[in-house]
Amino acid sequence: MKKIWLALASIVLAFSVSAADISEGKQYTNLSKPVASAPDVVEFFSFYCPHCYQFSEVYKVNSTVEKNAPENTNIVRYHVDFLGPLGKDLTRSWAVAMALGVEDQVSPVLFKGIQETQSIRSVDDIRNAFINAGVKGEDYDAAMNSFVVNSLVSQQQNAVADFQINGVPAMIIGGKYKMKNDGISAKSPEEYAKTYSEIVNQLLLKK
């Protein structure tokens, strides 16, 4: 029984030490203008952003956060349209992905087409990327100018303005806290993503 208690105590102590290491200004900052109606976790990104590519496809931070978040946590990813010649088109296409529920399917394909092969140079190329990701062309076309997609485009643009986002990747927790991507020490992409996820979860408890 004593061994069990000691094991439990060590787990609690480890968590407490971890929590004590997290501080405002180091791993996160408090927003000067919190957004009360925001989802629990909002990630802003751009397919034109090399750091966003690393964040998503190499470090896999967003998928790790989603996997380890408490049940019923509302997590959204919003594309910003202030980067790249097809920024606005990609924001609308990302709204299509959100409406069709295919974000995980199309995200790697779009990142590869923009960052690796530079094969996405037009709106037709974006459409073809969706098709290559397994989305039917007719479904993409039907959603493109739908009311739902128009609303999701506005939702993304309004969130960028509300949170005063001028750089990506950016992750906001509880409408109050902005993660500092350079404030996390790790020896590997996996450790970075895990630590990032743990900090997000602790900030969710504060919101």
Side-chain angles (χ1 to χ4, degrees):
M1 186 69 181
K2 185 177 180 181
K3 289 182 179 180
I4 295 175
W5 185 88
L6 288 172
L8 290 172
S10 66
I11 292 172
V12 173
L13 180 61
F15 177 82
S16 299
V17 170
S18 176
D21 289 340
I22 298 171
S23 60
E24 197 278 332
K26 185 178 179 182
Q27 292 90 1
Y28 71 95
T29 58
N30 293 321
L31 296 183
S32 58
K33 294 182 179 180
V35 179
S37 60
D40 297 322
V41 179
V42 185
E43 178 200 345
F44 294 93
F45 77 103
S46 168
F47 288 112
Y48 280 105
C49 164
H51 294 299
C52 297
Y53 171 75
Q54 295 284 325
F55 195 79
S56 176
E57 302 304 312
V58 178
Y59 285 71
K60 300 187 183 300
V61 173
N62 40 36
S63 59
T64 303
V65 168
E66 186 173 350
K67 175 183 175 182
N68 295 317
E71 190 175 357
N72 298 321
T73 301
N74 184 11
I75 302 175
V76 297
R77 296 179 69 200
Y78 289 154
H79 191 271
V80 302
D81 57 20
F82 53 71
L83 292 177
L86 295 172
K88 292 184 182 299
D89 300 297
L90 285 164
T91 293
R92 177 165 289 276
S93 293
W94 186 246
V96 171
M98 294 169 70
L100 297 179
V102 295
E103 299 103 305
D104 292 343
Q105 286 176 236
V106 303
S107 182
V109 179
L110 290 171
F111 266 124
K112 182 176 181 179
I114 296 289
Q115 297 289 333
E116 294 183 24
T117 64
Q118 289 83 50
S119 58
I120 296 179
R121 301 169 180 266
S122 68
V123 291
D124 288 337
D125 293 334
I126 298 173
R127 182 180 184 274
N128 288 333
F130 271 71
I131 294 172
N132 291 336
V135 178
K136 293 181 179 179
E138 54 266 34
D139 292 341
Y140 179 86
D141 295 336
M144 177 57 69
N145 293 303
S146 66
F147 173 79
V148 172
V149 166
N150 287 337
S151 296
L152 288 170
V153 170
S154 297
Q155 190 171 300
Q156 293 178 91
Q157 293 172 335
N158 290 338
V160 170
D162 290 343
F163 285 113
Q164 301 178 356
I165 300 298
N166 54 23
V168 286
M171 190 172 287
I172 311 295
I173 316 302
K176 298 178 181 179
Y177 313 111
K178 182 178 181 180
M179 293 290 291
K180 284 177 61 68
N181 299 328
D182 60 352
I184 299 171
S185 299
K187 296 179 180 179
S188 68
E190 293 78 14
E191 183 183 344
Y192 182 91
K194 180 182 178 183
T195 303
Y196 198 106
S197 174
E198 290 172 352
I199 295 170
V200 168
N201 285 348
Q202 291 186 36
L203 290 176
L204 284 170
L205 294 175
K206 289 166 58 73
K207 73 180 182 70

